[in-house]
Amino acid sequence: MINGSSSGTFDLYLNKIDEEWSKDLPVLDYVIISDAHWFFRPIYLHDRTGVVGCVYCNTPNVTDYGVGFALKLALRSALKHINNCKKCKVRVTLVRTFSPSHFEDGAWNTGGRCNKTGPLSESEINLSSPEWELRSLQMEEIEKARKEGGKLRKRFGVLDVTRAMMMRPDGHPGEFWGNKWMKGYNDCVHWCMPGPIDVWNDFFMAILIREASFVSW
């Protein structure tokens, strides 16, 4: 905030866990971490020594490490905190993988739209895309946490929606999202209900049942 107004720039402290986020962990049995798109904005990255890098900052003498780097380290900090938390009763932690957007002919603020009316086949999706790369980074961090958590009787799983959602460019509100503050823009990030989001619920219940079956109460 600058003079009471939002600057649109964020600070991400990689060596700290937000107290508002973590305060309920001691009483939770299950945790779902579901985030990624909010890293696509100007961010300054901090550790104990101060600013160590950025995302979209274009600031002299500050290295822009990109979205993937920030997402990976933030996720690592969160998972490490859960593993190291002695007073937490969390038995199962799930990470939802990156949920892709489907803008065509521009970005969200440059005329991008999503007008497809049917899903893609598996052969039509690009597994070398930035969306898949972010999903891979998330998978690497959850695997590290899983290995460490196994020694502590904590379970870590993945709600892997990326591939399925890459096939559903037809599942966004698009021009019909009805946002009165952003008329003229298309929403190709969020999902309609009923539709693809129902698949998330099916995935979630199946994975939760599987992971919970390994937990000793």
Side-chain angles (χ1 to χ4, degrees):
M1 302 294 289
I2 298 177
N3 297 325
S5 299
S6 173
S7 66
T9 300
F10 293 76
D11 291 300
L12 180 60
Y13 294 88
L14 301 171
N15 61 310
K16 298 179 180 179
I17 294 295
D18 183 76
E19 292 182 2
E20 186 63 26
W21 179 83
S22 62
K23 64 181 176 62
D24 292 325
L25 286 177
V27 299
L28 296 178
D29 295 310
Y30 302 96
V31 171
I32 306 172
I33 298 177
S34 176
D35 200 2
H37 279 280
W38 284 93
F39 287 83
F40 285 85
R41 59 201 61 238
I43 301 172
Y44 285 98
L45 308 174
H46 302 253
D47 68 7
R48 291 180 179 84
T49 64
V51 176
V52 294
C54 70
V55 178
Y56 298 136
C57 73
N58 197 27
T59 301
N61 302 317
V62 179
T63 303
D64 188 334
Y65 286 105
V67 171
F69 180 84
L71 175 61
K72 176 177 69 174
L73 292 189
L75 179 58
R76 182 181 300 173
S77 294
L79 297 177
K80 187 175 291 186
H81 177 79
I82 292 171
N83 258 335
N84 293 339
C85 180
K86 299 288 191 272
K87 61 182 179 179
C88 293
K89 60 180 287 191
V90 177
R91 301 301 186 98
V92 177
T93 300
L94 299 178
V95 174
R96 190 220 68 201
T97 61
F98 187 73
S99 170
S101 61
H102 290 93
F103 288 101
E104 297 181 2
D105 304 321
W108 71 271
N109 57 349
T110 57
R113 56 197 179 97
C114 42
N115 293 340
K116 284 190 168 56
T117 57
L120 302 177
S121 67
E122 283 199 70
S123 63
E124 293 178 284
I125 63 176
N126 178 13
L127 296 183
S128 299
S129 65
E131 292 88 350
W132 194 255
E133 181 181 346
L134 291 174
R135 180 256 184 197
S136 298
L137 293 174
Q138 291 173 306
M139 296 294 284
E140 289 173 12
E141 293 306 317
I142 197 73
E143 188 58 33
K144 292 175 185 175
R146 181 182 284 145
K147 289 179 179 177
E148 187 64 28
K151 308 170 191 174
L152 305 167
R153 300 178 68 189
K154 295 183 179 182
R155 299 284 304 179
F156 291 84
V158 180
L159 181 58
D160 192 356
V161 303
T162 307
R163 184 195 292 260
M165 294 302 100
M166 288 175 73
M167 297 169 62
R168 294 304 306 269
D170 59 316
H172 301 286
E175 64 183 293
F176 303 106
W177 64 323
N179 189 320
K180 63 182 179 181
W181 293 283
M182 299 186 68
K183 290 183 178 178
Y185 294 96
N186 293 295
D187 183 357
C188 304
V189 175
H190 300 97
W191 303 93
C192 292
M193 284 192 67
I197 202 71
D198 297 317
V199 176
W200 293 26
N201 294 328
D202 293 337
F203 286 174
F204 169 61
M205 291 306 300
I207 292 166
L208 187 60
I209 291 170
R210 184 190 67 192
E211 292 294 335
S213 69
F214 291 103
V215 172
S216 297
W217 294 92

